Amino acid sequence: MQQTLTAKIRLYPTHEQIALFKAVTKEYQRLCNIVSQWYFDGYFNANQKVFQKDMYHYLRNESPKLNSQMVQSTYRTVKARYDTVRTQLYQHPYRYDTGLIDEKTGKHIWESIPRTLEWLWKPIHFKRPQADYVHGSNYSFVKERTMISLNVLGKRIKVPFKADYLEDLFATNAKLGTAKLVQLKKHWFLHVPVTIEVNEWKKICNQHIVGIDRGLRQIMTIYDEQGRTKFFNGKRVAYQRKKYAHLRKQLQAAGTKSAKRHLKRLAGRENRWMEDVNHRLSKTLVQHYGENTLFVLEVLTNVSFDEKNQSTRDRNRDLHSWSFYDLQVKLTYKAQAKQSQVLMVSAKYTSQRCPKCGQIRKENRNHALHRYDCAYCGFRTNDDRVGAMNLYELGKQYLAGNERPKFELNNVAD
């Protein structure tokens, strides 16, 4: 199977090259907004052939210095953005109250309407300067892969870069896709999609099942087929988060120009720290279990963490400052590279179901003591461990042939 990663290549342009980068990214941004308006006015039905007929020559006259291939790329850039918005609208349908009351529950009846691009009132606006480069046409590696050759307005320049890890990718005959030139603060990066061939995970070859429960008190609690449980405590992470929050509060209270500069640097430092923690956690898991492993995670969308020992302000900050999705993404691509798989399952009842007898009772879980005590069979353990054990069970069901394993409220003890 193929796996696509994004290599973020740091560029080191001269002052003259920086001016050329700014010019080409702003011009590309301007043309994308023109194409976005055209795509919006055409009711989102235009394809590449229609673009070639209606817009290509107009844009070439509008921007004669921009490379012809990059003019063609504006359509693909715009269409990709609209496709992303289309998916987001579909995933979040419009819900409204019908005004009717359910006779059994006494609650209001709500209905959902799927949303399409027609719900947009105005075209998508590209706020950030950028430029897309096609490999081989607009960018290439030259001088024994020590520099990158890039098209700008009316010319082509060679820029040094730093990305030591690219040597391994070139050694695997990786396929490079359409790159994106962006500026992050004062630095310039070329984001290059890299597609490599990896061995595909197969159910029949699977050797390990690992249930992974994620939370705030315990960042991860894992349970495997050997009955082993491992806790990754979140105390140090929580302390670091609170430290960053305290520094932000002090700098925001100061309100000076210097404080604002420190706030920007602090934000970047915190993001890098969070990504590094998730990187190390996911790497540890993949290296420990090796190939042919099924990692089972719960979908955390609309899931609330009941941490009653925290204040409401602290709890909200923690939930919004810790990137559970980033950990999921990193574990997914690392697992695929090692011929393993990540399975996402419903989180429903995973913290309420007894792993031994299967009974589901909300009151069995004691949040204050972090305990789970089954009133039906007497099974007792840590409440986070229960979640990991239930996720492990869903992994077993998946390997047994159930493509969408989940727990139902149909076996409640009397």
Side-chain angles (χ1 to χ4, degrees):
M1 64 178 292
Q2 291 185 333
Q3 183 183 38
T4 301
L5 309 174
T6 300
K8 297 181 180 180
I9 302 176
R10 170 79 179 274
L11 303 178
Y12 293 91
T14 63
H15 291 294
E16 180 183 353
Q17 290 173 337
I18 289 175
L20 294 173
F21 279 171
K22 289 182 177 180
V24 71
T25 53
K26 288 182 179 179
E27 182 65 8
Y28 192 89
Q29 173 199 19
R30 186 177 72 88
L31 295 190
C32 282
N33 284 320
I34 295 175
V35 176
S36 179
Q37 181 70 58
W38 165 79
Y39 195 72
F40 179 84
D41 294 339
Y43 301 101
F44 324 107
N45 294 320
N47 54 31
Q48 186 77 47
K49 291 183 178 179
V50 177
F51 170 82
Q52 188 75 18
K53 179 182 178 181
D54 293 352
M55 295 296 294
Y56 174 73
H57 295 291
Y58 168 76
L59 295 178
R60 287 291 288 160
N61 293 329
E62 182 76 11
S63 182
K65 290 186 177 181
L66 191 66
N67 179 272
S68 60
Q69 181 65 61
M70 296 181 71
V71 173
Q72 295 277 11
S73 296
T74 57
Y75 167 77
R76 291 189 288 270
T77 301
V78 170
K79 187 178 184 303
R81 183 72 65 85
Y82 275 95
D83 288 344
T84 300
V85 173
R86 179 187 283 110
T87 301
Q88 292 171 343
L89 289 172
Y90 177 78
Q91 292 174 343
H92 299 86
Y94 174 74
R95 296 183 73 249
Y96 68 95
D97 189 349
T98 61
L100 303 176
I101 305 294
D102 190 317
E103 295 181 357
K104 295 182 179 180
T105 63
K107 297 181 179 179
H108 286 263
I109 299 176
W110 289 74
E111 293 219 4
S112 299
I113 299 177
R115 290 197 283 188
T116 63
L117 288 176
E118 280 69 22
W119 283 71
L120 296 178
W121 289 15
K122 58 183 180 180
I124 295 173
H125 181 67
F126 289 78
K127 299 180 181 179
R128 183 181 180 183
Q130 65 175 58
D132 286 358
Y133 287 80
V134 177
H135 181 239
S137 297
N138 306 131
Y139 81 95
S140 59
F141 293 87
V142 296
K143 294 188 177 181
E144 298 182 350
R145 295 172 180 158
T146 60
M147 303 188 78
I148 299 181
S149 176
L150 297 163
N151 277 113
V152 290
L153 295 181
K155 61 167 67 175
R156 197 169 176 109
I157 59 176
K158 296 179 178 65
V159 184
F161 70 96
K162 182 179 181 181
D164 298 334
Y165 55 85
L166 285 181
E167 294 180 3
D168 297 331
L169 296 177
F170 284 122
T172 58
N173 296 321
K175 181 181 178 181
L176 306 183
T178 300
K180 190 179 296 294
L181 177 66
V182 295
Q183 182 182 16
L184 298 177
K185 296 183 179 179
K186 296 182 180 180
H187 307 301
W188 287 88
F189 293 87
L190 191 68
H191 294 177
V192 182
V194 182
T195 303
I196 57 177
E197 293 288 340
V198 296
N199 294 325
E200 187 173 2
W201 173 85
K202 296 180 181 179
K203 284 186 179 181
I204 194 172
C205 299
N206 193 80
Q207 296 179 354
H208 306 289
I209 306 175
V210 183
I212 304 175
D213 181 77
R214 292 170 290 173
L216 296 176
R217 191 175 63 91
Q218 303 290 345
I219 299 177
M220 287 194 312
T221 304
I222 64 174
Y223 181 86
D224 60 24
E225 75 283 349
Q226 299 294 329
R228 294 173 297 192
T229 305
K230 175 69 176 176
F231 297 92
F232 293 83
N233 195 282
K235 285 185 178 180
R236 291 183 61 184
V237 173
Y239 170 78
Q240 194 70 15
R241 283 202 302 263
K242 291 177 181 178
K243 180 179 177 181
Y244 279 119
H246 178 69
L247 289 174
R248 277 196 303 271
K249 184 178 179 180
Q250 288 184 322
L251 292 171
Q252 289 169 352
T256 62
K257 290 183 179 180
S258 177
K260 291 178 181 178
R261 288 196 299 270
H262 283 295
L263 273 173
K264 290 182 179 180
R265 287 197 293 268
L266 184 66
R269 190 186 313 156
E270 184 175 9
N271 290 336
R272 290 192 298 272
W273 165 77
M274 291 170 58
E275 288 188 357
D276 181 64
V277 172
N278 284 333
H279 167 72
R280 286 185 281 122
L281 287 172
S282 56
K283 184 179 180 179
T284 299
L285 281 177
V286 172
Q287 287 184 341
H288 178 74
Y289 287 100
E291 297 181 352
N292 299 314
T293 300
L294 179 65
F295 298 99
V296 188
L297 279 73
E298 75 276 44
V299 178
L300 293 181
T301 306
N302 299 324
V303 173
S304 60
F305 294 91
D306 192 359
E307 295 287 331
K308 295 182 179 179
N309 58 328
Q310 290 181 301
S311 68
T312 303
R313 178 180 297 179
D314 288 342
R315 183 167 62 250
N316 289 338
R317 182 187 65 242
D318 289 346
L319 286 173
H320 289 88
S321 64
W322 187 250
S323 180
F324 294 103
Y325 180 72
D326 181 62
L327 175 61
Q328 172 187 325
V329 170
K330 284 179 169 54
L331 180 61
T332 298
Y333 80 75
K334 285 181 173 62
Q336 290 177 350
K338 289 292 185 180
Q339 200 174 342
S340 295
Q341 183 75 8
V342 171
L343 174 66
M344 303 302 301
V345 297
S346 171
K348 206 167 186 180
Y349 306 122
T350 55
S351 62
Q352 301 175 17
R353 176 185 178 274
C354 175
K356 295 299 182 182
C357 65
Q359 301 301 309
I360 298 175
R361 284 199 174 199
K362 186 176 181 180
E363 56 270 21
N364 286 344
R365 185 181 185 187
N366 189 320
H367 291 279
L369 299 178
H370 304 295
R371 295 282 300 177
Y372 183 91
D373 299 279
C374 181
Y376 188 76
C377 71
F379 175 72
R380 294 183 178 183
T381 189
N382 177 273
D383 58 350
D384 293 318
R385 183 170 182 260
V386 165
M389 294 176 71
N390 282 321
L391 291 171
Y392 166 80
E393 175 61 30
L394 292 177
K396 287 178 59 179
Q397 295 180 17
Y398 178 76
L399 291 179
N402 186 354
E403 293 296 324
R404 294 185 178 181
K406 63 179 180 179
F407 296 122
E408 301 286 354
L409 191 61
N410 54 6
N411 286 322
V412 182
D414 296 327

